Amino acid sequence: MIDTPAEGRAESDGPLAGRQLDALRTTYPAWEIQHLPEGPGQARWTARLRRPITAQLRAVGVQEHVAGPDAFTLASALAHQAALLHNRRSRTWST
């Protein structure tokens, strides 16, 4: 399911969380990213890879789901996952 940037967030999340969610979704379009409020001042940020991963990708550390307590932690995890995907793809193309 591809949702628009405004979908999946509560009105009380505030504009900062909305901007962070939009930025993550724009930066990492291969991932379905959600911001899930868990209570006052608490939230869970999750991302699910939109494509299936192979055993080879799993072996190099690519994960189907990543999560974090805030947008910055999730962004860091997604950057790492993107690097793993890119490095694996580069090795495949060069052989």
Side-chain angles (χ1 to χ4, degrees):
M1 175 179 123
I2 299 175
D3 51 4
T4 62
E7 288 182 36
R9 57 177 197 249
E11 291 293 321
S12 63
D13 290 342
L16 177 60
R19 287 193 306 270
Q20 291 172 326
L21 184 59
D22 290 344
L24 286 170
R25 287 178 172 170
T26 300
T27 305
Y28 301 101
W31 295 82
E32 183 176 326
I33 301 170
Q34 299 294 320
H35 172 243
L36 309 166
E38 293 183 333
Q42 296 180 332
R44 184 100 175 127
W45 293 77
T46 64
R48 183 183 61 78
L49 191 59
R50 294 181 188 272
R51 66 178 189 173
I53 59 173
T54 64
Q56 290 176 327
L57 289 174
R58 195 176 308 277
V60 298
V62 175
Q63 298 176 6
E64 189 175 353
H65 294 93
V66 292
D70 55 50
F72 299 107
T73 304
L74 183 61
S76 177
L78 289 171
H80 178 69
Q81 291 296 306
L84 292 173
L85 286 165
H86 175 75
N87 290 339
R88 180 65 191 158
R89 189 171 47 233
S90 295
R91 275 187 249 139
T92 302
W93 288 344
S94 64
T95 58

